[in-house]
Amino acid sequence: KSPESFAPAQKAAAVKRCIIPHMTMPKHFWAALLLSSVRARPYIKIAEPLEDAVVYGEDDGTGQNIRGVRLVLHYYDLPDDGYDRLRVVTRVDRGYTNTLGPPLPDSTLTLSSRLGTHFLEIVLRDRDEPDGDFGDAATVTYDLVPAPGDAILREEGNISEVDGVIRPRGDELSHAACLDRRERPIRVVLAGQLQLGGQSMLALEQARRLPHIKTWSDKRAFSLDFAFAIPPQPNRTTGPLEPLLRALDVPVHKFYTQIPGHLVREWGRGNTTNRLSSILAAATSLDDLAEDVRGIIQPFVDVVQGADIFSFTNHENHRHDDRTMVEAARLAGVPHILCEPSNLWWGSLPTGADGTASALVVPSHFAGRFWRERGALTQAAVVPPGFEAGPILRQATNSSRVRFGFVGRLAPQKSPGLFIRAAAAVGAAYRHTPLDVSFAVLGDGPLREPLERLAHRLGLRVTGGRYVGERGNGMEMHFAGWLEPSDVRAAVRDSLDVVVHSNVLEETFCMCNVEAMAEGKAVVTFGVGGVSEYLRRGDAHGIVVDKPSVAGLTEALLRVAEDSEWRRRLGDEAAPRVRGLHGGQDLSFDRMAVQYANLYSGLVCPARDLNQRAQDVACVGVDGEKADDENPGALLRRDEYWAAACGVARLLPSNDNPQMRQLLSLLLGEATRIDRENVTPLLNTREREALLVAAAVAESGLPNTTLDRRGALTALAAQYLTKAQGAVDRAATHWESLFKLRRPVLNCTSALWSYAVPDTAALVFMEDGSGGVLQMGATGLKLSNLIPDRPSDFEATPGKLRHAAAQFAHLASTGVELAPSVVEALAPCSVANLDELAASYADAAARLSAISQDDETDARSLREVASDAMLPVLATLDRGVHLYMPRSMDSEAVLIDEEIAAKATADFERINLCVIDGALSDHALTHLRKQLVESTVWYDAKRGHLGAYLEDGIASGLLLQVVEEFGAKLPDIVGPKRLVQAWGYKYHGQEADMGIRPHADEGAVTVNCWLTPDRYNLREGSGGLRIYNASVPDTMPFLQANRDFRAVRKHVEHADRVDVDHRQNRCVVFRSALVHETLPFYFERSYDAYRINLSLMYGVSDWRSAYQSSPESS
């Protein structure tokens, strides 16, 4: 027979057996003679899929990413006497084997596979022959990908809008008061494996953090135990996780359950677990169980009894065992059971998803939606895994080299073959170019051998191979093998530039991507499944390939290889985003631990209404009898604010009215001592919770109350939310409401000449317990130029009126229209638009200028030039005609990184000030300037400039975000100091020296930012800030320090000073006690060219003595 008809292994075996003594003919003659007499062994070849092919397959319509792959087999040397004794044995992905026949199947079959990289082995065996080791099997490696146009499971919509999917907050504790009231910590028992896998590592990080969370009273809030089912060798260390847990003083319980032989025989071998779980499910208590059945679960019951929460990792192939644990935990009296599915799977639901578990804990919103849409009745709680954040370490980008890497298990669902194929294409493109391109695979798994061989066949030079030796001169593909979890991130940091995530299946999260982004590496992915938690199409911090194909992946890799600057930007954007910066999601271990803490406490702690929350926070550590029996006024006389607040909180349910709520809100605010201690409260403190409750109490009293009381409650809510931080848009809404309450546009009628400002103080009077009365003011805010209960003077300077006329004309030119309520108020005066209102102001300015001695400083009453033509001005003067209030940003508003902050801190410590250029993001700069240019909030007339303040319309969500971020970004300069005031100054005067004269502020730190574009500044050095390295004399009162500029100037005339030039988006940060003044300004004389600065003053100090001279002069 022709040698071609024999398989290579058959020919080799035959030649090896060719032993003929005393050969006189050439050896090949005897071999051929022998082979001609040996009957050929039947064998098989795979005709389709072709070797190394990428195939689409036919969608089976189930939505499970299963495709039918055409499989064509060719049989050779089948016996002449029939082949009903032959069978085809297959093995897929080095996993399970399957037998087809006898008789032999047709030559064309359909193989159902899920999307991914697959390795198929097929061999012919005799019916009675063992399967063997597949050493002589026909093989093919192929990648199964979606056909063009096929949808893949990728999250594109709003990740918060799925019923039954919740996300515990990760920034602070949600049930701190409940944790403080409990007599013992919440006990959590976690069940899992002692090997260092993904789920066990997350459990380890819980163990490192949760036991250190303390209550307000400094008590331990949580205790953790770990439980593991093992064979009956209780003293054996079963994995590397155990010593790590024991080093943390975390109890490790190892239990063993065994079903007695008589029950195995009774229930039937192979059905014991199902039968056991059914018996447990039918029982209502442990006493319902037979003694032998109870004995099976007793070791486990001993571990979980007394726990508040039992949480276990659920695997698809362990569902029945896990059901037994769930039912045993229920019978042991554990009130809350959590299931953490280890992955996503089809066909069955996780254990407990039928409603028996309290929640499914999933790593992504996608995973939660996946289970809910497939019938899970149990709610899903999203707790993304975390990473050890640490500082951001910037690495230089090498433009002459790029290193791509795949990180993950070499398993079919990860589609590592797509990476190998794209690498071969990219390597071929750069093979003869100066750019050094290389590739690496970090990981191991069942597909390692076929992947090494695939890489070699595609022309890559394999290094580190276990099955393929290094040879050839192609681009390097290094197989690093399995690495310790702690070593993976270091390898990514030190060895890779780009991480490629080639999965096209439903990914739960992919922590490898996040760790790569944390190290500032560019990530290329198809964006499937839970990847959408941190990376979506169009994002600037990574690449999501739109089409899941080798071509699409190759194109992306070529782009990122070609552009080293883009590669650097991707990494620079990614690192802060996974740390919760630049609008990203905090994916750190610390955030993860807080989310778990809130998940656990949310299950254990009952829901509390606002009245109960008020009692919780006010009455901690307070003598209840004192709070109930003593008059709150008497307690206040002794500075016992918490006790007074506790007493009022207890009265609230039976005496609910707006004044009582205002009183409680005031008492809670005073009890925190925030104003006296001058700092913003830290997260997870009683003081912060008190401020939030005080704001909520004030909000709850707003409906159906009088105008003056509504103003007081609104002011309290605005102030407390601003001091508490973390709710900037909610605080801004109250500031805006307060502004509109205090400064509405008036009806334009002749009755305005007798208009009196209403009183919005809304004082609270309370008996002091000694026959006297305490008076508590609603707010410490000054009323600016609105003096209540007397006819308004309608006072203004001609310069202020001209500015208003220019502003209204500018608004009209940009397309702004009057609000309907303003149009309605001005209708009696026949003013219908901004142009007509601008004309009214220009006329009023001319009339007032005729009797004024100085247009910028001589404020006169419009009554002195009274005429009906003035009525539109009276109706709108110092009123909210137009307000632009930008909301907070999803991304960062203040762009100060750790390096800039360190330099700023060093400068501040050396010379008491620092200068930061580009401090605000482009979005923040644009919209803050738009706010101060457009909003009609410039009421405080000064010499050549106008002032606008926090309470008078500038407290937007964006501004409050900037306030908070300066504190966070400059922790050693601003830090937790609370905001005392924010203001804007606009310089519209005709003279260059009409800026702010030498003075000092009463705060601790001032941040001054310039918003006007540099193109409007006509002279170098114009409009800057002069800061003297000296304070005012200790004997000078604050009022004099702000008004007697001549005395202040004389005091500092010999002091060292720093002149800081004006630049748009330059922020000057200095000690508020330092004397400072505006340098002469020469700006264009058009409305939108006016010099505008935004100033934020933090903290209050004894400003006359807090300043200490710097050892260095500037």
Side-chain angles (χ1 to χ4, degrees), residues 391-652:
I392 298 176
L393 303 176
R394 306 288 185 188
Q395 296 186 12
T397 300
N398 190 334
S399 60
S400 63
R401 181 202 67 199
V402 58
R403 301 167 298 183
F404 295 95
F406 172 94
V407 183
R409 189 163 182 265
L410 302 184
Q413 64 270 25
K414 301 296 184 181
S415 294
L418 296 183
F419 171 70
I420 301 291
R421 298 171 196 278
V426 173
Y430 285 102
R431 184 172 179 180
H432 300 294
T433 69
L435 184 64
D436 179 11
V437 179
S438 62
F439 309 90
V441 174
L442 309 185
D444 211 334
L447 295 185
R448 176 161 179 175
E449 179 183 356
L451 289 173
E452 286 186 15
R453 298 191 187 283
L454 173 65
H456 172 69
R457 288 194 299 271
L458 294 178
L460 294 167
R461 178 168 51 87
V462 174
T463 62
R466 184 182 301 159
Y467 305 97
V468 175
E470 180 177 350
R471 56 182 182 269
N473 57 359
M475 295 298 191
E476 181 185 11
M477 171 65 74
H478 180 69
F479 284 83
W482 186 86
L483 300 175
E484 290 281 353
S486 58
D487 294 334
V488 172
R489 187 168 167 188
V492 169
R493 179 181 63 246
D494 300 334
S495 305
L496 300 180
D497 300 306
V498 181
V499 168
V500 183
H501 176 234
S502 53
N503 194 347
V504 297
L505 276 177
E506 55 278 1
E507 177 74 75
T508 58
F509 190 78
C510 191
M511 199 61 217
C512 295
N513 284 351
V514 173
E515 292 184 337
M517 294 167 71
E519 294 296 343
K521 304 300 181 182
V523 169
V524 181
T525 175
F526 293 122
V528 294
V531 174
S532 58
E533 287 282 326
Y534 50 86
L535 190 57
R536 293 191 176 195
R537 286 187 287 183
D539 285 346
H541 55 278
I543 303 171
V544 174
V545 181
D546 188 47
K547 297 177 180 178
S549 63
V550 175
L553 186 59
T554 301
E555 180 184 4
L557 300 189
L558 287 171
R559 288 174 57 208
V560 78
E562 195 70 26
D563 193 339
S564 60
E565 179 60 26
W566 183 42
R567 194 164 67 243
R568 181 195 62 78
R569 290 198 308 270
L570 290 171
D572 287 351
E573 283 289 328
R577 284 191 68 89
V578 295
R579 289 171 169 82
L581 306 175
H582 294 187
Q585 182 182 172
D586 181 1
L587 295 174
S588 66
F589 280 137
D590 290 338
R591 178 273 319 154
M592 182 192 77
V594 173
Q595 277 196 279
Y596 272 112
N598 285 331
L599 173 62
Y600 299 151
S601 58
L603 293 172
V604 173
C605 296
R608 307 281 282 177
D609 63 24
L610 181 57
N611 290 343
Q612 292 169 323
R613 286 181 63 201
Q615 291 183 46
D616 290 343
V617 72
C619 299
V620 170
V622 171
D623 184 339
E625 292 185 4
K626 176 190 290 187
D628 288 339
D629 296 342
E630 290 201 45
N631 187 290
L635 295 171
L636 290 183
R637 290 290 188 194
R638 302 197 299 270
D639 250 9
E640 296 185 46
Y641 283 96
W642 286 118
C646 179
V648 174
R650 293 187 179 197
L651 289 173
L652 195 60

Side-chain angles (χ1 to χ4, degrees), residues 860-882:
R860 296 294 186 96
S861 172
L862 293 179
R863 295 176 185 277
E864 297 182 48
V865 288
S867 78
D868 287 346
M870 290 289 183
L871 290 177
V873 179
L874 302 186
T876 56
L877 182 66
D878 297 341
R879 301 281 167 182
V881 176
H882 176 70

Side-chain angles (χ1 to χ4, degrees), residues 907-918:
D907 290 345
F908 193 87
E909 291 175 350
R910 184 169 57 88
I911 58 173
N912 298 304
L913 66 90
C914 60
V915 178
I916 303 174
D917 286 326

Side-chain angles (χ1 to χ4, degrees), residues 95 178 230 376 398 516 560 588 627 720 870 928 955 971 977 1025:
C178 166
I230 62 169
N398 190 334
V560 78
S588 66
Y720 290 151
M870 290 289 183
L928 285 175
K977 297 180 181 67
L1025 184 66

